[in-house]
Amino acid sequence: DQYTREENLSMRRLNLTRRQFVRSLTSAGAAVMIVPRQAVARSGQTPPNEKLNIAGIGVGGMGRGDVNAVRNENIVALCDVDTRRSGDMFKAIPDAKVYRDFRKMFDQMENKIDAVTVSTPDHTHAVAAMAAITRGKHVYCQKPLAHSVYEVRQLMKAAREHGVVTQLGNQGHSSDSIRTFCEWIWDGAIGNVHTIHAGCRAINSAFGALPRLTEKHTVPPELDWYQWLGPALERPYHPAYLPGAWRGWVPFGNGTVGDWTCHVVDPVFWALDLGSPTTIRAEVKDYDPKTQGDAFPTGEIITYEFPAKGDRGPVTMHWYSGTEPIPRPADLEEGRKPVETGAIVLGDRGTIMYGSHGAGGARIIPEEKMKAYQQPEKTLPRGLEHHRDWIDAIRKGIKAGSDFATYGGPLTELAMLGVIAIKLPSTKLQWDAENMRFTNCEEANQLVNPPYRDGWTL
C-alpha cells in the first residue's frame, strides 16, 4: 500500500467530512453526484451505482446466513478460524480471498472492502467490529453486539465518530409485527405499561460440561485455536467449547439472557423507549459463581427497574431464562397455551402477549378484547428485510434500523448488565448509566470491562 497509516487516517477524515456534506445536501433535497469508487474507497463508501465489496468475518453457522443474505453484492473476502464449519462457504464463493485472521485480511485488503458482516462467537464481536469501524467500513454484527458493557460503549462511540452505517443482527427489528406492536402501544391499546415478563426457555448453560474440563485434547488441524480465543484469557483447547456450545461458557458467550434479549426485549425496548435501567437484580437457583463461574446457570430470573420517561411511568421488567418459565398471565383463557419465548406486557387497561423475533404473533388477551380493538393507522414502514435495510442505509447515507450508536448498542447493554447480575446473584445493583458504573458494588464494576489476553486490544 502506497499510503502510510497516517495518510489513511487523513483520507478517512476527509471522506467523513465529504459524507457529512453530502448528507446535508440530501436533507435539503439537493441532488447527490455519484462519485467514482476510487475517490471514496479509503473511507469504505461505495457510490450508489456500484455494488458493495463485502467481507465476511465468521462464515460458518450464523455467518453462512449473513453472507448469503448479501450475496447480491460482491463478496471479496471470507475469514474463519475453523474450516470444519466454513469450508463449504469457501467453496461456494471461490473468487473470495480466504483468511483465518481478520487483522491480516484488513492489512492486505483494506482498500478493497466497503463493509463487513461479523458472525463470530460473542467474545470476538467487538474486536472484529472495531477493526472494521476504525478503518471506515460499514458493519453488520450478529447479536449480542459485544461481550461486556465497556465494549458496547466503545463500539457506540466509534460508530458515531467514524460515520459508518451499522446494524445489529436482531432481524425481528425489521419485521412488520414489531411495527404493529409499537403502534398498538403508542395508541394506548392496553393503557400505561407498568410491567413486562419476558424470557426464553432455551438453556445456554455449560453446567453439564464443567467436569470434563480436566480432560486433555489435541487441537484439530482445521482449527486455529489461539485465533478462536481472540481476546479471551488463555486456556487449553477443549471440544466442550465449540462449535455452538460456547454460548453457555462465561469467557465466550453470554448465556440465554445475552443470546435472546436482543430478540425478545426489542419490541418493548422500542415501543416504550426503555433506555437504561436504574437497578438490576438476578435470582439464580443452585448456582455458585465462585465455584461454577466458568458456566452460565441453567436458569435465572433477572429484574430490571426503569425510571419514568416522557409520558410513561416507571416500568419493571422481569427476565426468565431456561428452567424459569414466564408466568402465565391471569387474563389468558383457560386451555390457551402461554408464551414460552416472548413476553407478556401488562398495562393498566389490558395485556399483550407476543412471541420472539419482533413481537411475532402479538395479541391482546383475552381474545375477545383483541377482536374488539379498533387498530390504529399504520404509521411505520412495512416490508423491510434486515440485511437489505443495512445495505440500503449504506447507499442512502442514513442510519439502519438497529444501528449500534443509538439502538443496537443500548439494547445489547441490557443483556450485558443482566450477565453481570447473574455473576453476583441476589445483589440489587444500582446502575449509573451516564458514568458507566455501579454505585453500590465495586465487585460489579470489575465486570464492566474484563481484561483481554496479551496482544489484543479494542
Side-chain angles (χ1 to χ4, degrees):
D1 189 342
Q2 61 179 321
Y3 291 93
T4 65
R5 185 171 297 276
E6 289 75 17
E7 288 171 328
N8 279 331
L9 180 59
S10 297
M11 287 293 292
R12 287 198 291 271
R13 287 172 176 163
L14 175 63
N15 281 292
L16 176 59
T17 303
R18 182 185 295 115
R19 182 191 296 106
Q20 292 170 335
F21 174 69
V22 170
R23 286 181 181 172
S24 69
L25 290 178
T26 304
S27 63
V32 179
M33 180 176 64
I34 296 176
V35 184
R37 177 186 292 275
Q38 60 267 28
V40 293
R42 295 186 181 277
S43 72
Q45 290 178 275
T46 299
N49 63 337
E50 292 186 23
K51 289 186 175 183
L52 291 164
N53 285 345
I54 297 180
I57 302 176
V59 298
M62 289 298 299
R64 181 180 294 104
D66 288 334
V67 171
N68 283 332
V70 294
R71 284 281 290 274
N72 286 338
E73 308 299 322
N74 292 327
I75 308 301
V76 296
L78 298 172
C79 180
D80 203 291
V81 301
D82 190 351
T83 57
R84 296 173 302 177
R85 299 272 284 172
S86 57
D88 60 334
M89 287 298 288
F90 296 161
K91 293 177 182 178
I93 311 177
D95 292 336
K97 291 191 176 182
V98 173
Y99 295 88
R100 280 194 167 188
D101 188 333
F102 62 81
R103 297 168 298 183
K104 292 181 180 179
M105 179 186 77
F106 283 126
D107 286 344
Q108 296 180 15
M109 297 188 65
E110 178 170 355
N111 298 327
K112 298 177 182 178
I113 296 171
D114 300 312
V116 302
T117 60
V118 177
S119 314
T120 59
D122 296 356
H123 70 292
T124 49
H125 281 181
V127 289
M130 186 66 82
I133 290 171
T134 54
R135 289 169 171 83
K137 312 307 177 189
H138 311 292
V139 181
Y140 182 104
C141 183
Q142 267 302 323
K143 52 77 197 166
L145 178 58
H147 197 237
S148 72
V149 172
Y150 176 79
E151 287 182 341
V152 169
R153 294 290 183 94
Q154 290 301 109
L155 288 172
M156 291 170 62
K157 181 174 181 285
R160 286 192 297 266
E161 291 179 347
H162 291 271
V164 294
V165 178
T166 57
Q167 181 87 302
L168 179 69
N170 56 331
Q171 63 268 31
H173 193 75
S174 293
S175 68
D176 288 357
S177 56
I178 195 172
R179 287 156 171 72
T180 297
F181 173 80
C182 287
E183 290 161 354
W184 289 359
I185 295 296
W186 300 336
D187 185 52
I190 58 172
N192 298 308
V193 174
H194 52 80
T195 305
I196 302 158
H197 297 281
C200 176
R201 292 308 303 274
I203 299 179
N204 288 338
S205 169
F207 257 25
L210 276 172
R212 294 172 51 199
L213 295 188
T214 56
E215 304 167 356
K216 292 184 179 180
H217 291 268
T218 301
V219 180
E222 303 90 346
L223 172 67
D224 185 335
W225 171 242
Y226 286 100
Q227 185 63 22
W228 189 93
L229 273 179
L233 299 182
E234 190 165 335
R235 61 176 55 211
Y237 162 78
H238 199 288
Y241 299 138
L242 73 162
W246 53 263
R247 290 179 173 84
W249 293 99
V250 169
F252 312 126
N254 290 290
T256 305
V257 65
D259 205 36
W260 283 89
T261 291
C262 294
H263 287 315
V264 172
V265 178
D266 186 9
V268 289
F269 191 77
W270 184 3
L272 299 171
D273 191 17
L274 287 179
S276 295
T278 52
T279 70
I280 313 98
R281 177 187 175 102
E283 298 295 338
V284 184
K285 296 178 182 177
D286 304 320
Y287 177 70
D288 180 1
K290 289 183 172 58
T291 59
Q292 301 165 312
D294 246 9
F296 280 97
T298 55
E300 65 273 341
I301 300 174
I302 306 171
T303 299
Y304 300 83
E305 293 179 330
F306 298 89
K309 188 176 185 181
D311 294 332
R312 67 158 174 79
V315 175
T316 298
M317 182 176 75
H318 305 282
W319 172 269
Y320 306 83
S321 289
T323 58
E324 307 306 307
I326 299 171
R328 182 183 180 88
D331 38 7
L332 185 64
E333 301 95 323
E334 186 177 350
R336 189 171 170 190
K337 187 178 181 180
V339 66
E340 292 190 339
T341 296
I344 306 295
V345 186
L346 305 175
D348 57 13
R349 293 195 287 109
T351 303
I352 293 176
M353 182 171 71
Y354 68 75
S356 64
H357 294 76
R363 304 292 289 178
I364 298 172
I365 56 175
E367 190 64 21
E368 62 183 33
K369 284 191 176 182
M370 181 73 257
K371 292 178 179 178
Y373 176 52
Q374 185 174 349
Q375 299 199 31
E377 179 183 352
K378 295 179 180 179
T379 57
L380 295 172
R382 267 38 174 204
L384 301 182
E385 194 281 323
H386 208 51
H387 296 84
R388 180 51 49 187
D389 178 57
W390 175 57
I391 297 295
D392 289 346
I394 294 172
R395 297 197 181 286
K396 295 174 183 177
I398 62 175
K399 289 192 306 182
S402 193
D403 74 294
F404 296 176
T406 64
Y407 194 88
L411 176 59
T412 298
E413 187 170 303
L414 283 185
M416 299 303 102
L417 291 171
V419 168
I420 291 174
I422 289 171
K423 296 174 185 178
L424 297 165
S426 302
T427 303
K428 190 172 186 178
L429 300 171
Q430 307 284 339
W431 178 239
D432 177 356
E434 183 177 355
N435 294 300
M436 199 175 70
R437 68 182 306 274
F438 296 95
T439 59
N440 68 328
C441 185
E442 194 55 38
E443 189 176 357
N445 285 326
Q446 301 305 310
L447 300 174
V448 170
N449 181 19
Y452 276 7
R453 183 161 59 101
D454 288 346
W456 287 84
T457 61
L458 192 58

